Amino acid sequence: MAVDRPIAQLGRRLRVGFVGGGADSVIGSVHQIALRADGLGDLVAGAFSIDPQVSRETGAALLLDPSRIYDDWEEMLTAEASRDDRIDAVVVITPPSLHQRISSAFLAQGFHVLCEKPMTDSAEAADILARDAARATGLFALTHCYTGYPMVREARELIGSGAIGEIRLIESEHAAGGPDMIRDPEDRSRRHWRFRRESMGIASVLGEVGSHPHNISEYVTGQRVQLVSASLSTIAPGREVFDNAYLNVTYDGGAVGRIWSSFVAAGQEHGLGFRIFGDEGSLQWRQEDPEFLWHLTPGQPLRRISRGLPSTSDVARDSTRLGWGHPEGYLMAFANIYRDFLSAVVAHELGGDPAPLLDRLPGIDDGLSTMRLIDAAVRSHEAGGQTTAVTGSR
Amino acid sequence: MAVDRPIAQLGRRLRVGFVGGGADSVIGSVHQIALRADGLGDLVAGAFSIDPQVSRETGAALLLDPSRIYDDWEEMLTAEASRDDRIDAVVVITPPSLHQRISSAFLAQGFHVLCEKPMTDSAEAADILARDAARATGLFALTHCYTGYPMVREARELIGSGAIGEIRLIESEHAAGGPDMIRDPEDRSRRHWRFRRESMGIASVLGEVGSHPHNISEYVTGQRVQLVSASLSTIAPGREVFDNAYLNVTYDGGAVGRIWSSFVAAGQEHGLGFRIFGDEGSLQWRQEDPEFLWHLTPGQPLRRISRGLPSTSDVARDSTRLGWGHPEGYLMAFANIYRDFLSAVVAHELGGDPAPLLDRLPGIDDGLSTMRLIDAAVRSHEAGGQTTAVTGSR
Amino acid sequence: MAVDRPIAQLGRRLRVGFVGGGADSVIGSVHQIALRADGLGDLVAGAFSIDPQVSRETGAALLLDPSRIYDDWEEMLTAEASRDDRIDAVVVITPPSLHQRISSAFLAQGFHVLCEKPMTDSAEAADILARDAARATGLFALTHCYTGYPMVREARELIGSGAIGEIRLIESEHAAGGPDMIRDPEDRSRRHWRFRRESMGIASVLGEVGSHPHNISEYVTGQRVQLVSASLSTIAPGREVFDNAYLNVTYDGGAVGRIWSSFVAAGQEHGLGFRIFGDEGSLQWRQEDPEFLWHLTPGQPLRRISRGLPSTSDVARDSTRLGWGHPEGYLMAFANIYRDFLSAVVAHELGGDPAPLLDRLPGIDDGLSTMRLIDAAVRSHEAGGQTTAVTGSR
Amino acid sequence: MAVDRPIAQLGRRLRVGFVGGGADSVIGSVHQIALRADGLGDLVAGAFSIDPQVSRETGAALLLDPSRIYDDWEEMLTAEASRDDRIDAVVVITPPSLHQRISSAFLAQGFHVLCEKPMTDSAEAADILARDAARATGLFALTHCYTGYPMVREARELIGSGAIGEIRLIESEHAAGGPDMIRDPEDRSRRHWRFRRESMGIASVLGEVGSHPHNISEYVTGQRVQLVSASLSTIAPGREVFDNAYLNVTYDGGAVGRIWSSFVAAGQEHGLGFRIFGDEGSLQWRQEDPEFLWHLTPGQPLRRISRGLPSTSDVARDSTRLGWGHPEGYLMAFANIYRDFLSAVVAHELGGDPAPLLDRLPGIDDGLSTMRLIDAAVRSHEAGGQTTAVTGSR
């Protein structure tokens, strides 16, 4: 722990509010732990649920000041905007269909916004949010949490430094299959919201799951998907949305690759990972074994790079809390997103430059890229798998 | 070792001849070890190379009777056909472009034929060989060696018995990238024959490499690829053939899947494996760790099935020579192909039924299926990845 | 997150103070993260270092009330004892030679005490602390952090339920070898305190390192080491303390085993793990891969039990924050120690029974057992490895 | 396959006879496969069992000349010694109590001898055999089969070249626990010969199992065990021999270490492996994953060295038949013992120097070392674990 850290210069911890993430939400408690980990901010306000009762109970369980537990996000926005001790940043943890409206509204009032993925529920909404964020004074980032893993960041640094040469093939996937994913209950009312057409649209597998391998492959390589040929399937009998997506893609840097996302890879516990092949070697990583990055060089011993080694990059080492040998896991990866975002906010508040910190984080451009890919993938699928350009206003 | 084994009933070891597999061939020595392993046959004759000098030196190094070391396969066929102690079986280890002619000719003279993969160099040639094999009295099988692995056979048995339910997704790949694969020497004359258009055609990656994941996925699931959408690439600069193939496929049993074959997966040492997902679980296997079959069931502990366990199937246990704990590896998998094929020949010679043994081995139908897939894949690629039916005369 | 959690009943977060754990301490930041993770307590006071300047800087960096940043622990004890909003609990993170005095003093004033391992620096001090804790109203536990891992707790539950039968062999080890461990700098003043005789005594490898495998083996099996034969070595040239310890042990439940602790296992990154063999199977676990517990049964497939599976015990599932597939790692294991201890304090404050929570945590008896083992091991070594009883006042 | 190999110069394959290894023996078929693998010798004669009927059936099943199937080894020795086409070498595959008498007798008649491990059943018998071998013209080697693994040999070469510095700690173990090992049937007559006192003596675990980790640790380090402190146990209830042995040892090169051998490590499938720690790094290897040697260097990425890599030593590459990526397994390791021994015999017959080949193989000195260790270990155990010197006549 450095005693001269910027938060001490600021002289207070940041005040953070949540929209969503209530006691009925799994990801809500993940956000809380990630926020607390480094002591940079406190959760002081929230509209935690679409159900005001849940919101109130959540706030009470968290021992929040009752006056800052809100029934809905509009109320929260109005109230917080007028407080002297108003929150510095809001975290948007709602269903994707609300992301744009909430984010745009808080940005418009000068708040910093940290938003869950996928950024929106359509390419159009993504464009709107991009426009609004460009006009805003506040900072914006996406909690594509897997980019918080030190070894993912190390992969990005190594690729950037040419460690595996020119990138040729990019294989990524997020294919899981838990008991509640591989089939739907007969009783439609008992189905998970992921598998209801009304809540997530028919291509939910692409937003919910596929956005991760897409984002991570772009994050580590610095390339954007340019062309996509999609084959979407509904595998579980009676299901009303796609639950398996095969995308064959071409990146703007010249690489080709595949992105597989699935809810029906029966028995795979999480199933996120990438393999990036250059003309001199490859880097491979799996979220279920995240402490290690595997560096393959043809004809040479395989190298397993451990988180925390002295030879790793500054960014990777700066994203750890422990030396090698003690696994840090998912929550600290998620906490890195918070640490970098809140540190960027502190830098911003102190009049410094938040850019180097924001550079570590997925942001507007990344969210746009994902939403446009999904859009193009659905069009490709509807055209029988035709190769389709990922287009956008910029 | 059972003392009452059929070979003892026959009272002699089988006489085997090689076409190809000379001292200039890596795979030739693999065949020799596989043939020797179980003492069912002796290599007694051969036309080991297109170069008569190499053939003679190979035969001499193997201490063969000089009169049975031949300059070419036609000479060998004529001479062996007229000997009283003629070979029982011939093994065809030549480039694929010769497989059909040699196999058909030996079959026509009543020899048993064990042929390397891919079965031929075209769907047409495969049809001819299929017709000739149907007319022949001799047995025919393909050395798709990976089907000799006990745990691959166990996967087939488990899937057949419904252990993972109805098959939904079939992922297979064979993606390697050694120093001599990922790029070509500038001097064209020093390029490997795999990467010369004149020797293997432009789609050699599909025959040389892709035939393995295709065959193994059909072998373990009992399903045939029916539709294919192909994306073939030439990745290494200046290379004149495809070296990476992405196939998206639909199987006739209803499963969808992908087959990836590559010479440019830099640093992967071998890279053959499959993941088969049913509606109740999945089975996963990697050739580089072949003693184990991984059985995943959603929400339950992962099970690692070891070769040799009492709970494994009769076929799997019959395909091993050792108890669990001592790895058997690739050569014994290859030897299983020989053991089953030669045992089938013995059964045939003793008037028994070779069918149960041949059922363990890839044969004409499997070779046909592969050659037709390759044909369809090339057509699909040329049509911009259009979904294309894998068609055939039967 | 349960909305009805006891902390909400209590209506406030617990107030926690640190003795030690300053900015010059690696483990200090680990404690901070572990404390923050679940939002049950706040760090509000501390005497963070033997160096008052470091203490003050640490407290300032943590944005603490300056009046609660102390120059030494006696000052802190006096001041806190007289406050209305006094701390509920103190965490002792000093060198072991101070553990007993500080813990006894805080206990005597009615504070709850969470103390780092090893419990003391001698068996005698351990006896004194045991006596003082028995007289105290406050709770006491040890941060033997590895017992916070869900899969370690699952092993304990499985063994307790007879899953591997009667325990026969207990293998445990903690053998690491980083660059700064495997040799000492020539300049004696630059040596790590671990390797200075004056700071840790000659047997520091047993307290610093060996206490972990000893504690974890007793924790999961419920057996105590009864007899020990020790072989201690100084491997690194010129080093003045032992850096490798081989203990052969007999447990009071009848099992035999070995405990290996080392600073010179060159290249091992952490090296803590156990293998417990019963008469029906075994359980194996490694800290570097902590999400999984391996259950071996003779003649059957290996089972890999993942953290979070429905089939795992209540205690194991209650010790996780995420479902399977997302690794939780070391810091959440450490946070489990805090969560259980602070929850026990809350239960105690609410008039409930803290025993079920304390039962999950190493405490006085465990610390005593370790200190007596170390005492016996040193005596055994000095007697040429003679088998020596681990004795104690109870 | 080199066409100019010495066997071609010799102009014939070697003639080999077996004593033991009949159809009732598991290891017999392993020897047969290992012998056949490289085509250097043929099994032409044998006294395959103590039971003449089994010997005859075995020979018949192998299609041997009936005149060379013998009822006992003395008959075989007499008959073979007087044949013009007498066997070149005999392989001794009997229980250890017969090894010395048979080996000495065949050596005395000028045969080469390849003998199973442990070399004898006592240190005295080992001394006698050593004396007889020294007087003989024939070659002698032990089938300590695990030294045939290319990666074990690579470890030896790396250690010899100083790759991990000066050796400090040597951990080796062979601890298995199959269903038939971890307990004895109540009916004494159904117990395995390993667990009968009359067949193997009380310390069979040391000869049967413990000889492997002892031999392999000496093989790869070039050091000999000098001092031993032993703790032997009988774990399975009612068993009449030791089934678990903990040895703490000191090597003559200064290293300390442990050797664990066990029949009751329930669920471990094979359990042989070593970890050798030097002052600059370590090498680790497990027989169940034998294609890879793990090279650990403090503070650097772990390196996994694959069998067949160009960077491996001449000896390691000369001990393989395949490139990397295709596992070779146990039988090819065993075949390496045969290949080296028979090649040494060929060299000897051709008037060349067999020493470089014999240097790869365990021989008389290694067998002596093991038998003396066992002797010292039993004495140590009887003296309550007292540290005991491993003594010998040289």
Side-chain angles (χ1 to χ4, degrees):
Chain A
M1 191 190 71
V3 295
D4 56 348
R5 51 188 201 158
I7 193 76
Q9 281 182 256
L10 188 64
R12 62 174 183 90
R13 282 196 288 276
L14 295 174
R15 293 180 292 269
V16 177
F18 279 9
V19 178
D24 51 350
S25 148
V26 173
I27 200 70
S29 64
V30 169
H31 277 266
Q32 291 171 32
I33 297 169
L35 165 58
R36 286 182 202 122
D38 294 299
L40 298 175
D42 294 313
L43 177 59
V44 299
F48 295 103
S49 174
I50 199 88
D51 178 344
Q53 180 65 18
V54 171
S55 184
R56 276 176 230 135
E57 286 174 6
T58 302
L62 290 166
L63 305 171
L64 258 56
D65 174 349
S67 77
R68 298 182 89 168
I69 307 172
Y70 302 100
D71 282 2
D72 61 55
W73 68 267
E74 280 109 336
E75 181 193 342
M76 174 173 165
L77 175 59
T78 307
E80 289 293 327
S82 64
R83 291 182 73 106
D84 285 343
D85 63 347
R86 66 184 234 161
I87 55 172
D88 298 284
V90 70
V91 186
V92 183
I93 321 179
T94 65
S97 55
L98 297 171
H99 287 183
Q100 181 270 317
R101 280 182 58 210
I102 300 172
S103 296
S104 290
F106 274 85
L107 284 169
Q109 294 291 332
F111 294 99
H112 305 290
V113 176
L114 185 62
C115 180
E116 259 295 344
K117 48 60 56 179
M119 189 164 81
T120 60
D121 62 343
S122 71
E124 293 70 30
D127 280 331
I128 296 169
L129 179 50
R131 184 201 60 199
D132 294 346
R135 291 174 184 162
T137 57
L139 308 181
F140 179 90
L142 287 173
T143 54
H144 263 299
C145 50
Y146 304 109
T147 62
Y149 272 114
M151 289 295 95
V152 171
R153 294 172 169 198
E154 178 69 7
R156 189 195 208 195
E157 295 293 309
L158 282 172
I159 288 169
S161 71
I164 57 170
E166 198 165 335
I167 304 307
R168 294 168 154 192
L169 302 173
I170 299 175
E171 296 282 315
S172 64
E173 62 186 57
H174 189 181
D180 56 338
M181 293 180 185
I182 61 170
R183 62 177 66 90
D184 275 338
E186 299 233 348
D187 177 359
R188 198 177 170 288
S189 69
R190 291 181 42 240
R191 294 189 185 170
H192 194 281
W193 52 264
R194 278 172 176 159
F195 303 122
R196 298 201 207 174
R197 187 184 287 223
E198 69 272 20
S199 56
M200 289 295 292
I202 196 170
S204 103
V205 71
L206 287 170
E208 266 294 290
V209 175
S211 61
H212 284 305
H214 172 251
N215 176 262
I216 211 167
S217 70
E218 292 195 346
Y219 183 84
V220 298
T221 66
Q223 299 194 18
R224 295 279 185 209
V225 173
Q226 201 171 41
L227 300 172
V228 62
S229 165
S231 170
L232 311 179
S233 310
T234 300
I235 304 284
R239 183 163 282 174
E240 57 198 42
V241 299
F242 296 126
D243 52 12
N244 192 75
Y246 290 141
L247 308 187
N248 286 18
V249 293
T250 303
Y251 289 80
D252 63 3
V256 295
R258 305 185 300 173
I259 298 172
W260 176 30
S261 42
S262 186
F263 286 120
V264 291
Q268 294 203 162
E269 297 196 339
H270 186 254
L272 175 69
F274 61 73
R275 293 180 286 174
I276 315 284
F277 300 92
D279 64 358
E280 294 177 10
S282 55
L283 291 174
Q284 310 197 359
W285 180 84
R286 293 173 57 248
Q287 195 275 142
E288 295 176 41
D289 195 20
E291 299 289 302
F292 304 115
L293 179 65
W294 302 84
H295 185 180
L296 293 73
T297 306
Q300 292 184 24
L302 173 63
R303 286 157 52 94
R304 192 194 73 177
I305 304 171
S306 301
R307 183 191 51 71
L309 286 183
S311 60
T312 54
S313 62
D314 289 351
V315 172
R317 273 180 297 111
D318 193 38
S319 304
T320 70
R321 290 157 188 81
L322 302 168
W324 63 76
H326 282 112
E328 285 198 356
Y330 171 75
L331 291 162
M332 291 306 113
F334 213 118
N336 283 334
I337 303 290
Y338 268 89
R339 181 159 71 175
D340 291 335
F341 183 71
L342 296 183
S343 295
V345 170
V346 170
H348 179 270
E349 299 297 318
L350 292 172
D353 180 11
L357 289 158
L358 290 176
D359 177 58
R360 300 177 183 179
L361 298 174
I364 286 287
D365 287 349
D366 304 286
L368 266 177
S369 183
T370 293
M371 297 319 299
R372 288 167 180 171
L373 172 77
I374 294 174
D375 191 70
V378 171
R379 285 184 282 120
S380 167
H381 176 74
E382 288 169 353
Q386 198 179 307
T387 298
T388 301
V390 178
T391 52
S393 54
R394 44 172 165 172
Chain B
M1 191 191 69
V3 295
D4 56 348
R5 54 188 196 157
I7 192 76
Q9 280 181 259
L10 187 65
R12 63 176 182 88
R13 283 195 288 275
L14 295 175
R15 291 180 294 267
V16 176
F18 278 12
V19 179
D24 50 350
S25 147
V26 173
I27 201 69
S29 64
V30 169
H31 277 267
Q32 291 170 32
I33 296 170
L35 166 56
R36 286 182 204 120
D38 295 299
L40 298 174
D42 294 314
L43 176 59
V44 299
F48 295 103
S49 174
I50 197 89
D51 178 343
Q53 180 63 21
V54 170
S55 183
R56 278 177 228 135
E57 286 175 7
T58 301
L62 291 166
L63 305 172
L64 258 57
D65 174 350
S67 76
R68 300 182 86 166
I69 307 173
Y70 302 100
D71 282 4
D72 61 53
W73 68 268
E74 281 111 336
E75 182 194 340
M76 175 174 165
L77 174 60
T78 307
E80 288 293 326
S82 63
R83 292 182 72 108
D84 285 345
D85 63 345
R86 67 184 232 160
I87 55 173
D88 297 286
V90 68
V91 186
V92 183
I93 321 177
T94 65
S97 57
L98 297 171
H99 286 182
Q100 180 272 316
R101 278 181 62 210
I102 299 172
S103 296
S104 290
F106 275 85
L107 284 169
Q109 295 290 331
F111 294 99
H112 305 289
V113 175
L114 186 61
C115 181
E116 258 295 342
K117 49 57 61 179
M119 189 164 79
T120 60
D121 61 343
S122 73
E124 293 71 28
D127 280 330
I128 295 170
L129 179 50
R131 183 200 62 198
D132 294 346
R135 290 173 184 163
T137 57
L139 308 180
F140 180 90
L142 287 172
T143 54
H144 262 299
C145 50
Y146 303 109
T147 61
Y149 271 114
M151 289 296 94
V152 171
R153 294 173 169 196
E154 178 69 7
R156 188 195 208 194
E157 296 292 310
L158 282 171
I159 287 170
S161 71
I164 57 170
E166 198 164 335
I167 304 307
R168 294 167 155 193
L169 301 174
I170 300 176
E171 295 283 315
S172 64
E173 63 186 56
H174 188 179
D180 55 338
M181 293 179 185
I182 61 170
R183 63 177 66 90
D184 276 336
E186 299 233 347
D187 177 359
R188 199 177 171 286
S189 70
R190 290 181 45 240
R191 293 187 186 171
H192 194 282
W193 53 262
R194 279 171 173 158
F195 303 122
R196 297 201 206 173
R197 186 183 288 222
E198 68 272 20
S199 56
M200 291 294 293
I202 196 170
S204 104
V205 71
L206 288 170
E208 266 294 290
V209 174
S211 60
H212 284 305
H214 172 251
N215 176 261
I216 211 166
S217 71
E218 293 196 346
Y219 183 84
V220 299
T221 64
Q223 299 193 19
R224 295 280 184 208
V225 173
Q226 201 169 41
L227 300 171
V228 61
S229 166
S231 171
L232 312 179
S233 311
T234 300
I235 304 285
R239 182 164 283 173
E240 57 196 43
V241 299
F242 297 128
D243 53 12
N244 191 76
Y246 290 141
L247 309 186
N248 286 18
V249 292
T250 304
Y251 288 80
D252 62 5
V256 295
R258 304 186 300 174
I259 299 173
W260 176 31
S261 43
S262 186
F263 286 120
V264 290
Q268 295 203 162
E269 297 197 338
H270 187 254
L272 175 69
F274 60 75
R275 294 182 284 174
I276 315 282
F277 300 92
D279 64 359
E280 295 177 9
S282 57
L283 291 174
Q284 309 197 1
W285 182 84
R286 292 174 58 248
Q287 196 276 142
E288 295 176 40
D289 195 20
E291 300 289 302
F292 305 116
L293 180 64
W294 301 85
H295 186 179
L296 293 74
T297 305
Q300 292 184 22
L302 174 62
R303 288 156 51 93
R304 192 194 73 176
I305 304 171
S306 301
R307 182 192 53 71
L309 286 183
S311 60
T312 53
S313 62
D314 289 351
V315 171
R317 276 181 295 112
D318 194 37
S319 304
T320 69
R321 291 157 189 80
L322 302 168
W324 64 76
H326 282 110
E328 285 198 356
Y330 171 75
L331 291 162
M332 292 306 112
F334 213 118
N336 283 334
I337 304 291
Y338 268 88
R339 181 158 73 175
D340 291 335
F341 183 70
L342 296 183
S343 295
V345 169
V346 170
H348 179 270
E349 299 296 318
L350 291 173
D353 181 10
L357 289 158
L358 291 176
D359 177 60
R360 300 178 183 177
L361 298 174
I364 286 288
D365 287 349
D366 304 287
L368 267 176
S369 184
T370 294
M371 298 318 301
R372 287 167 180 170
L373 172 76
I374 294 175
D375 191 70
V378 172
R379 285 185 282 121
S380 167
H381 176 74
E382 288 169 354
Q386 195 180 311
T387 298
T388 301
V390 178
T391 52
S393 53
R394 45 169 164 173
Chain C
M1 191 190 72
V3 295
D4 56 347
R5 50 189 200 159
I7 192 76
Q9 281 182 256
L10 188 64
R12 62 175 181 90
R13 281 196 288 277
L14 296 174
R15 292 180 293 268
V16 176
F18 279 10
V19 178
D24 51 350
S25 146
V26 174
I27 202 69
S29 64
V30 169
H31 276 267
Q32 291 171 31
I33 297 170
L35 166 57
R36 288 182 202 120
D38 294 299
L40 298 174
D42 294 314
L43 177 59
V44 298
F48 295 104
S49 173
I50 198 89
D51 178 343
Q53 180 65 17
V54 171
S55 183
R56 277 175 230 135
E57 286 174 6
T58 302
L62 290 166
L63 306 171
L64 258 57
D65 174 349
S67 77
R68 300 181 89 167
I69 306 173
Y70 301 101
D71 283 2
D72 62 53
W73 68 267
E74 280 110 336
E75 180 193 343
M76 174 173 165
L77 175 59
T78 307
E80 288 293 326
S82 63
R83 292 182 74 105
D84 287 344
D85 62 349
R86 66 184 234 162
I87 55 173
D88 298 285
V90 70
V91 186
V92 183
I93 322 179
T94 64
S97 56
L98 297 171
H99 287 182
Q100 180 270 318
R101 281 181 57 211
I102 300 171
S103 296
S104 290
F106 275 85
L107 284 169
Q109 294 290 333
F111 294 98
H112 306 288
V113 176
L114 185 61
C115 179
E116 259 295 345
K117 48 59 58 180
M119 189 163 80
T120 59
D121 62 343
S122 72
E124 292 70 30
D127 280 330
I128 295 169
L129 179 50
R131 183 201 61 199
D132 293 346
R135 291 174 184 161
T137 56
L139 308 181
F140 180 90
L142 286 173
T143 55
H144 262 299
C145 50
Y146 303 109
T147 62
Y149 272 114
M151 290 295 96
V152 171
R153 294 174 169 197
E154 177 69 7
R156 189 195 208 193
E157 295 293 310
L158 281 171
I159 288 169
S161 71
I164 57 169
E166 197 164 335
I167 304 307
R168 294 168 154 191
L169 301 174
I170 300 175
E171 296 283 315
S172 63
E173 62 186 56
H174 189 181
D180 55 338
M181 293 179 186
I182 60 171
R183 63 178 65 90
D184 275 337
E186 299 233 348
D187 177 359
R188 198 177 171 287
S189 69
R190 291 181 43 240
R191 294 190 185 169
H192 194 282
W193 52 263
R194 277 172 177 158
F195 303 122
R196 298 201 207 173
R197 187 183 286 222
E198 69 271 21
S199 55
M200 291 294 292
I202 196 170
S204 103
V205 71
L206 287 170
E208 265 295 289
V209 175
S211 61
H212 285 305
H214 172 250
N215 177 261
I216 211 166
S217 70
E218 292 196 345
Y219 183 83
V220 298
T221 65
Q223 298 194 20
R224 295 279 185 210
V225 174
Q226 202 170 39
L227 300 172
V228 61
S229 165
S231 171
L232 312 179
S233 311
T234 300
I235 304 285
R239 182 162 282 173
E240 57 198 42
V241 299
F242 297 126
D243 53 13
N244 192 76
Y246 290 140
L247 308 187
N248 287 17
V249 293
T250 303
Y251 289 80
D252 62 4
V256 295
R258 304 184 302 172
I259 299 172
W260 177 31
S261 42
S262 187
F263 286 119
V264 290
Q268 295 203 162
E269 297 196 338
H270 186 255
L272 175 68
F274 60 75
R275 293 181 286 174
I276 315 284
F277 300 92
D279 63 359
E280 294 177 10
S282 55
L283 291 174
Q284 309 197 0
W285 181 84
R286 292 174 57 249
Q287 195 276 141
E288 294 176 40
D289 195 21
E291 299 288 302
F292 305 115
L293 180 64
W294 301 85
H295 185 179
L296 293 75
T297 306
Q300 292 184 24
L302 174 63
R303 287 156 52 93
R304 191 194 74 177
I305 304 171
S306 301
R307 183 193 50 72
L309 286 183
S311 60
T312 53
S313 63
D314 289 352
V315 171
R317 274 182 296 111
D318 194 38
S319 304
T320 70
R321 290 157 188 81
L322 302 168
W324 64 74
H326 282 113
E328 285 199 357
Y330 171 75
L331 290 163
M332 292 306 114
F334 212 118
N336 284 332
I337 304 290
Y338 269 89
R339 181 159 70 175
D340 291 334
F341 183 70
L342 296 183
S343 296
V345 170
V346 171
H348 179 269
E349 298 297 318
L350 292 172
D353 181 10
L357 289 158
L358 290 176
D359 176 59
R360 299 178 183 179
L361 298 174
I364 286 287
D365 288 347
D366 304 287
L368 266 177
S369 184
T370 294
M371 298 318 300
R372 288 168 180 170
L373 172 76
I374 294 174
D375 191 70
V378 171
R379 285 184 281 119
S380 168
H381 176 74
E382 287 169 354
Q386 197 179 308
T387 299
T388 302
V390 178
T391 52
S393 54
R394 42 172 164 173
Chain D
M1 190 189 72
V3 295
D4 57 348
R5 53 189 198 157
I7 192 79
Q9 279 181 257
L10 187 64
R12 64 175 181 89
R13 283 196 287 275
L14 296 174
R15 291 179 294 268
V16 176
F18 278 11
V19 179
D24 50 351
S25 146
V26 173
I27 201 69
S29 64
V30 169
H31 277 266
Q32 291 170 33
I33 297 169
L35 166 57
R36 286 182 203 121
D38 294 299
L40 299 174
D42 295 312
L43 176 59
V44 299
F48 295 102
S49 173
I50 198 90
D51 178 344
Q53 180 63 20
V54 170
S55 183
R56 278 176 228 136
E57 287 175 7
T58 302
L62 290 166
L63 305 171
L64 257 56
D65 174 350
S67 76
R68 301 182 88 166
I69 307 172
Y70 303 101
D71 282 4
D72 61 52
W73 68 269
E74 280 110 337
E75 181 194 342
M76 175 175 163
L77 174 59
T78 307
E80 289 293 326
S82 63
R83 291 182 72 108
D84 285 345
D85 62 346
R86 67 184 231 160
I87 55 173
D88 297 286
V90 69
V91 186
V92 182
I93 321 178
T94 65
S97 56
L98 297 172
H99 286 182
Q100 180 271 317
R101 277 181 61 208
I102 299 172
S103 296
S104 290
F106 275 85
L107 284 169
Q109 295 291 332
F111 294 99
H112 305 290
V113 175
L114 186 62
C115 180
E116 260 295 346
K117 48 57 59 179
M119 189 164 79
T120 60
D121 61 343
S122 72
E124 293 71 28
D127 280 330
I128 295 169
L129 179 50
R131 183 201 61 200
D132 294 346
R135 290 173 185 162
T137 57
L139 308 180
F140 179 90
L142 286 173
T143 54
H144 262 299
C145 50
Y146 304 109
T147 61
Y149 272 114
M151 290 295 94
V152 172
R153 293 173 169 197
E154 178 69 7
R156 188 196 208 194
E157 296 292 310
L158 282 171
I159 288 171
S161 71
I164 57 170
E166 197 164 336
I167 304 307
R168 294 168 155 192
L169 301 173
I170 300 175
E171 295 283 314
S172 63
E173 62 186 57
H174 189 179
D180 56 337
M181 293 178 186
I182 60 170
R183 63 178 66 88
D184 276 335
E186 299 232 348
D187 177 359
R188 200 178 171 286
S189 69
R190 292 181 44 240
R191 293 187 186 171
H192 193 283
W193 53 262
R194 280 171 174 158
F195 302 123
R196 298 202 206 171
R197 186 182 287 224
E198 69 271 22
S199 56
M200 291 295 293
I202 197 171
S204 105
V205 71
L206 288 170
E208 266 294 290
V209 174
S211 61
H212 284 306
H214 172 250
N215 176 262
I216 211 166
S217 70
E218 293 196 345
Y219 182 84
V220 299
T221 64
Q223 299 194 19
R224 297 279 184 209
V225 173
Q226 201 170 40
L227 300 171
V228 61
S229 165
S231 170
L232 312 179
S233 310
T234 299
I235 304 285
R239 182 163 283 174
E240 58 197 43
V241 299
F242 296 126
D243 53 13
N244 192 76
Y246 290 140
L247 309 187
N248 287 17
V249 293
T250 304
Y251 289 80
D252 62 5
V256 295
R258 305 185 300 172
I259 300 172
W260 176 31
S261 42
S262 186
F263 286 119
V264 291
Q268 296 204 162
E269 297 197 339
H270 187 254
L272 175 69
F274 59 75
R275 294 182 285 174
I276 315 284
F277 300 91
D279 64 359
E280 295 177 9
S282 56
L283 291 174
Q284 309 198 359
W285 181 85
R286 293 174 56 248
Q287 196 276 143
E288 295 176 40
D289 195 21
E291 300 288 303
F292 305 115
L293 179 64
W294 301 85
H295 185 179
L296 294 73
T297 306
Q300 293 184 23
L302 174 62
R303 287 157 52 93
R304 191 194 74 177
I305 304 171
S306 301
R307 182 192 53 71
L309 286 183
S311 61
T312 54
S313 62
D314 290 350
V315 171
R317 275 182 296 111
D318 193 37
S319 305
T320 68
R321 291 158 189 80
L322 303 168
W324 64 75
H326 283 111
E328 285 199 355
Y330 171 75
L331 290 163
M332 291 306 113
F334 213 118
N336 283 334
I337 304 290
Y338 268 89
R339 182 158 73 175
D340 291 335
F341 183 71
L342 296 183
S343 296
V345 169
V346 170
H348 179 269
E349 298 296 317
L350 292 172
D353 180 10
L357 289 158
L358 290 176
D359 177 59
R360 300 179 183 177
L361 298 174
I364 286 287
D365 287 348
D366 304 288
L368 267 176
S369 182
T370 294
M371 298 318 302
R372 287 167 181 172
L373 172 76
I374 294 174
D375 190 70
V378 171
R379 283 184 284 122
S380 167
H381 176 73
E382 288 169 353
Q386 195 179 312
T387 298
T388 301
V390 178
T391 51
S393 54
R394 42 171 165 173

